[in-house]
Structures are given as structure tokens and as C-alpha cells.
Amino acid sequence: MKGPSNAYMGCALVVLMLMTTCGVCGWSMSRGLVQLKRFEETRPGTSVETVVHEATVLGFERRPADDLGPDDAGVSRLELVKRNYPPVGPWHVRVFHVDGGVTSVTTWIPD
């Protein structure tokens, strides 16, 4: 009795590798989204350095060109961006702060 052909086994191996790669990438992206959304739970008063350090560990970079100085209420904005591979695109974390203490953190994923 003959087994499956080499062409069939090769195709099956390629399909298995593609499915594994897609699964790992999907799991990694889901995990990254959970970590991104955790920034929105940052408590007011947390030091800006703490948030920046946590974001840097997760692969975010500070974009000083997008930082905004204090508004009329004295609130400044700090912009952090993580670049992802296509088709996902960049993720943004905006840290609003006064005198080194966080007032709020928002996340933004452009369309």
C-alpha cells in the first residue's frame, strides 16, 4: 500500500505552517490590544515617568513633535506611538498630565 505523495505532504506542511503563523500572530495582536487598553485604566496621579516606562517596555516610542503644551487649565499632552506591521497600523497612547501627574490616558487606533 502506498502512502500520500510527496506533493501532498509538502502542501499539507505549508498549510500547517501558515495556520500556525496566523494563529501566533493573532494571539500576539490580541495580547497587544489588551495591553493597549490597560493604559486607559491608569489612575489619576500616577507619575508620567511610570506610564512612559511601561509603554516603552511594550514597544511604544515617544513622539515629541505631537506633544502639546499646557492648555488654559494647565493640562499637557504626551504622545506615544507603537508601529505595527501592516495591515494593523500604529497604536497611540495619549497621556494628559499636570505637574508630572497623570490626569487621564486615552488610546487611539487610526482607521
Side-chain angles (χ1 to χ4, degrees):
M1 175 173 212
K2 240 174 132 181
S5 69
N6 288 338
Y8 177 81
M9 291 304 290
C11 287
L13 182 61
V14 168
V15 168
L16 179 63
M17 287 172 41
L18 288 173
M19 289 175 60
T20 303
T21 301
C22 287
V24 169
C25 289
W27 174 79
S28 175
M29 197 59 55
S30 295
R31 185 170 179 255
L33 280 170
V34 168
Q35 292 171 336
L36 175 69
K37 289 299 181 180
R38 281 191 188 151
F39 282 107
E40 293 181 353
E41 298 173 6
T42 303
R43 291 193 167 148
T46 303
S47 75
V48 175
E49 291 82 21
T50 301
V51 176
V52 170
H53 175 70
E54 289 175 10
T56 304
V57 168
L58 294 175
F60 286 83
E61 300 171 353
R62 185 168 176 196
R63 290 185 40 180
D66 293 333
D67 293 351
L68 295 177
D71 60 10
D72 293 338
V75 178
S76 299
R77 182 182 87 183
L78 181 88
E79 184 86 16
L80 301 160
V81 178
K82 180 176 182 181
R83 302 189 194 298
N84 295 305
Y85 295 108
V88 176
W91 295 343
H92 298 258
V93 173
R94 291 181 174 158
V95 181
F96 297 91
H97 60 95
V98 175
D99 297 329
V102 172
T103 57
S104 67
V105 177
T106 60
T107 58
W108 176 56
I109 302 173
D111 293 333

